[in-house]
Amino acid sequence: MHDDQHGTAIISAAGLKNALEVAGKDIAKVKIVVNGAGAAAISCTKLYVALGAKVENIVMLDSKGVITADRPNLTPQKKLFATTRTDVHTLEEAVKGADVFVGLSKGNVLSQDMIRSMADQPIVFALANPVPEISYEDAMASRPDVLMSTGRSDYPNQINNVIGFPYIFRGALDVHAKAINEEMKMAAVHAIADLAKQPVPDIVNEVYHVNDLSFGPKYFIPKPVDPRLITEVSAAVAKAAIESGVARKTITDWDAYKKNLMELLGQETKLTRNLHDTARMHPQRIVFAEGAHPSMMKAAVQAKTEGICYPILLGNPDRLRRVAERLKLNLDGIELIDMRADQEQGRRATYAKHLAKKRARQGYTFEEAYDKMYERNYFGMMMVETGDADAFITGLYTKYSNTIKVAKEVIGIRKEYNTFATMHILNTKKGVFFIADTLINRHPDQNVLVDIAKLSANTVRFFNEEPHMAMISYSNFGTDEIGSPVSVHNAVEELQKQFPDLAVDGEMQVNFALNKDLRDDKYPFTRLKGLDVNTLVFPNMSSAQGSYKLLQAIDQDAEIIGPIQMGLNKAIHFTDFESSVRDIVNITAVAAIDAYVDKIKNK
């Protein structure tokens, strides 16, 4: 198997399949012109026929012109696609009225007039390198309805062999295949074609500096950087090898196989996999505040697809459907709620009565509460408060200060605490670290720091880890007697009195927290002696947020999950405007687990 031959065939066949779908054309009826008759052209055309193209509808050209059946001395390969037509001899004649042009020849042989002579919505694959048969600019200028592909990475719909390699070989080798047969090649074609119809990962949009790539004229084949190629193509090829009888090893757990591939490529970690797997065991009803935001909508659809939750999107249903249509997202099975619609009047009144009664001693009236139910944060949190939903995700549009205020009013803080807080989890090459408080408490005093530490310890245990907690400052164990070190020092003293078995100490500088040899040598009395610290509680929000964002900027491979809410009575979780789809899906998994644990506790 050679990538220039079979690889180009597989990738271009996937592109052709999707381009025809965009154009609304039947492969069995389209007229195809293939300019070039070398090994790559022959392989491509054979695969198009396997895909459903009719030989009688194909015209192939070599350096001498149209390959006709009456031409002498044809090679066996050229004979396969020699046309019986006698009315075409040149490329100009061949492309007239054609639906598809595939160029595997040399540069600048296709003119704008030739493209204009083609059928409606012509498909032009100009794949000669480094100069295509016609430039992208000239092709697009020739007529507005052309569907164009080249081998160039700087233009849409690149036919690039790396879309299939090494993933085709990966699937073949993983099942110890004796050959790469036609069934395996066709499986790769369909896997690649199908992937282009799925929502595009954030990393692809970032690399190509676009916001919302979606299936259509400028995106009908996946980008080479799409991280899903390794799982989708490899698995499809491996399955086809097993089913066609050339595999010497069988795979039965395909989910595990794909997860292993993602781990090898660094796309998924044990931490996130466990989160998602746990959430899938007990999916919850989760409300997404900014339902029309592309990232939140994509995350909701992905979370539903993965079985993490039953999503509820807040927003105007017509607008939500328009956004979904633009993003090529399927909202089937997702509840859409317009909290401002007339039909929601009864629910708004019910929520308002509940909130007014709960906050009566804080001066709330029914009228004031009713007005607040037109705001997505009040309405969504009341859905959770009254049991109409299990968890709520917010934060992409709203300011944190407002969201925090609403959460305190509607949901309230757990009775054993005086505050709530947030934590970010950093999954780094040096291990997993839990960092608090990154969002809620700007200038915590001693009592608030005690609460944050207690919340952090409970949250770390929530993630099945034992907390080894360092309380951070710019001094070590009382070397400074003014400012924030005093608050941290006193908080540690209080924590050690209340929880004699909790591995917590400080105040200490970050380097002593993270280097146990240095810490144990300099301060052998510490309760953390011999332990690797995994939990860092900072003296204020600035230092906590700055620390995790610095690490995020320095270590691009570090995975960050958060902010994770700690201390509210219900599962209310936050995102921010920088959150990617993957970030929101991870928070959704945490929210689903959080909500389920709450249910178990309250039974």
Side-chain angles (χ1 to χ4, degrees):
M1 184 176 183
H2 195 286
D3 71 329
D4 278 346
Q5 298 175 36
H6 307 100
T8 302
I10 290 168
I11 312 308
S12 67
L16 179 60
K17 179 178 185 291
N18 280 351
L20 288 169
E21 185 173 329
V22 171
K25 296 185 177 184
D26 184 351
I27 193 170
K29 298 177 181 178
V30 294
K31 297 177 180 178
I32 300 174
V33 174
V34 180
N35 197 55
I42 296 293
S43 293
C44 287
T45 312
K46 283 182 177 179
L47 204 53
Y48 303 159
V49 172
L51 203 58
K54 301 297 183 184
V55 174
E56 58 267 28
N57 292 337
I58 296 172
V59 173
M60 182 176 284
L61 297 92
D62 60 13
S63 58
K64 297 177 182 178
V66 173
I67 299 172
T68 56
D70 59 357
R71 189 201 288 184
N73 303 318
L74 288 177
T75 64
Q77 291 79 13
K78 290 183 180 181
K79 281 183 180 180
L80 292 173
F81 301 108
T83 183
T84 58
R85 290 176 60 182
T86 59
D87 59 326
V88 290
H89 302 89
T90 65
L91 178 60
E92 184 177 8
E93 293 171 343
V95 297
K96 192 173 295 184
D99 299 282
V100 179
F101 169 87
V102 178
L104 294 150
S105 51
K106 62 181 181 178
N108 299 320
V109 296
L110 187 69
S111 69
Q112 289 183 315
D113 285 339
M114 290 181 192
I115 293 181
R116 292 188 190 103
S117 75
M118 295 177 71
D120 290 342
Q121 288 193 282
I123 296 165
V124 176
F125 285 9
L127 306 183
N129 271 320
V131 180
E133 284 78 4
I134 184 171
S135 71
Y136 180 84
E137 291 84 359
D138 285 349
M140 298 307 295
S142 68
R143 54 192 293 177
D145 62 342
V146 64
L147 298 171
M148 180 70 174
S149 281
T150 69
R152 297 270 299 268
S153 61
D154 50 347
Y155 296 117
N157 302 315
Q158 182 191 17
I159 303 296
N160 190 327
N161 291 352
V162 300
I163 292 172
F165 292 95
Y167 317 123
I168 295 167
F169 287 150
R170 172 92 240 181
L173 292 170
D174 283 340
V175 293
H176 300 183
K178 294 180 284 187
I180 295 178
N181 57 26
E182 295 304 309
E183 290 88 347
M184 294 159 72
K185 288 158 60 179
M186 192 57 68
V189 170
H190 290 297
I192 293 167
D194 290 345
L195 193 58
K197 301 171 190 175
Q198 304 303 317
V200 179
D202 293 317
I203 187 174
V204 177
N205 287 322
E206 288 170 9
V207 169
Y208 289 90
H209 306 294
V210 294
N211 294 322
D212 53 359
L213 276 177
S214 59
F215 185 70
K218 292 190 175 181
Y219 178 73
F220 51 73
I221 191 161
K223 298 289 188 182
V225 298
D226 195 318
R228 302 166 298 177
L229 286 165
I230 188 172
T231 55
E232 300 309 307
V233 178
S234 301
V237 170
K239 280 183 182 179
I242 294 169
E243 292 170 359
S244 63
V246 297
R248 287 174 286 196
K249 177 183 175 183
T250 299
I251 296 172
T252 54
D253 190 339
W254 291 101
D255 287 338
Y257 173 65
K258 288 184 177 182
K259 287 174 182 175
N260 180 59
L261 291 176
M262 291 171 73
E263 287 182 7
L264 289 173
L265 207 60
Q267 294 171 14
E268 184 173 281
T269 65
K270 185 178 179 180
L271 176 63
T272 52
R273 188 175 74 245
N274 287 343
L275 278 178
H276 291 206
D277 287 346
T278 304
R280 271 192 288 269
M281 293 171 65
H282 306 283
Q284 303 292 300
R285 299 164 299 163
I286 297 184
V287 183
F288 293 81
E290 295 90 359
H293 190 288
S295 294
M296 193 162 272
M297 184 179 285
K298 287 178 182 178
V301 171
Q302 185 176 330
K304 177 183 177 293
T305 301
E306 292 186 20
I308 290 172
C309 72
Y310 305 110
I312 302 167
L313 298 182
L314 294 186
N316 179 279
D318 290 337
R319 185 184 175 211
L320 293 173
R321 292 187 185 99
R322 286 196 301 272
V323 173
E325 185 177 355
R326 177 170 61 83
L327 298 174
K328 301 296 189 292
L329 297 174
N330 184 356
L331 296 184
D332 290 348
I334 296 179
E335 187 177 357
L336 312 180
I337 294 181
D338 185 355
M339 68 272 186
R340 298 177 181 176
D342 290 343
Q343 62 264 33
E344 291 297 332
Q345 187 174 1
R347 180 148 43 179
R348 284 198 303 270
T350 300
Y351 293 167
K353 287 176 185 176
H354 185 103
L355 182 59
K357 182 178 179 181
K358 181 176 183 177
R359 304 288 297 178
R361 290 292 178 178
Q362 284 75 40
Y364 258 74
T365 64
F366 170 78
E367 289 76 15
E368 181 183 3
Y370 189 82
D371 284 345
K372 291 184 183 298
M373 290 310 131
Y374 286 95
E375 298 179 29
R376 63 182 74 246
N377 281 323
Y378 277 99
F379 188 93
M381 290 189 201
M382 282 304 304
M383 290 186 71
V384 178
E385 173 69 9
T386 58
D388 288 345
D390 303 309
F392 182 63
I393 309 289
T394 186
L396 284 177
Y397 288 139
T398 50
K399 292 182 179 178
Y400 282 130
S401 56
N402 178 63
T403 310
I404 292 165
K405 174 178 173 289
V406 177
K408 287 179 178 178
E409 288 180 11
V410 176
I411 302 298
I413 296 167
R414 296 183 191 275
K415 61 183 179 181
E416 61 268 37
Y417 301 106
N418 295 310
T419 188
F420 76 104
T422 59
M423 168 186 283
H424 274 79
I425 303 176
L426 270 67
N427 194 2
T428 73
K429 293 174 182 176
K430 291 190 174 182
V432 177
F433 296 95
F434 302 86
I435 296 180
D437 168 25
T438 52
L439 187 65
I440 306 300
N441 300 285
R442 297 180 179 180
H443 304 288
D445 59 18
Q446 170 187 330
N447 295 326
V448 172
L449 284 170
V450 169
D451 264 4
I452 293 171
K454 289 160 60 178
L455 288 165
S456 298
N458 288 336
T459 303
V460 172
R461 293 189 185 103
F462 176 86
F463 288 100
N464 295 318
E465 297 283 346
E466 187 60 32
H468 301 153
M469 188 180 306
M471 303 285 282
I472 303 301
S473 185
Y474 57 78
S475 67
N476 289 308
F477 301 99
T479 54
D480 268 52
E481 297 180 354
I482 58 173
S484 64
V486 178
S487 297
V488 178
H489 186 91
N490 293 338
V492 171
E493 189 174 2
E494 179 63 28
L495 284 163
Q496 290 186 339
K497 285 180 184 176
Q498 289 187 33
F499 307 99
D501 296 327
L502 178 63
V504 59
D505 218 330
E507 83 284 11
M508 69 180 75
Q509 296 170 355
V510 170
N511 57 322
F512 285 96
L514 299 182
N515 186 334
K516 69 180 178 184
D517 294 333
L518 177 67
R519 181 184 67 239
D520 293 355
D521 179 63
K522 187 76 172 176
Y523 305 106
F525 56 83
T526 176
R527 192 181 280 193
L528 293 167
K529 187 173 183 179
L531 298 176
D532 290 311
V533 166
N534 60 7
T535 308
L536 305 173
V537 177
F538 284 83
N540 53 55
M541 192 171 79
S542 293
S543 55
Q545 192 172 97
S547 295
Y548 95 78
K549 290 202 171 184
L550 177 64
L551 289 171
Q552 183 182 31
I554 291 173
D555 185 357
Q556 298 292 327
D557 294 327
E559 179 182 39
I560 296 183
I561 301 173
I564 295 163
Q565 176 272 122
M566 310 182 293
L568 289 174
N569 282 316
K570 298 287 179 72
I572 307 299
H573 287 268
F574 309 101
T575 59
D576 61 36
F577 70 94
E578 297 175 342
S579 295
S580 67
V581 173
R582 186 182 183 192
D583 293 334
I584 302 171
V585 172
N586 287 340
I587 288 294
T588 302
V590 172
I593 300 167
D594 193 6
Y596 179 71
V597 170
D598 275 350
K599 287 182 179 179
I600 298 299
K601 286 180 180 177
N602 296 324
K603 275 189 177 180

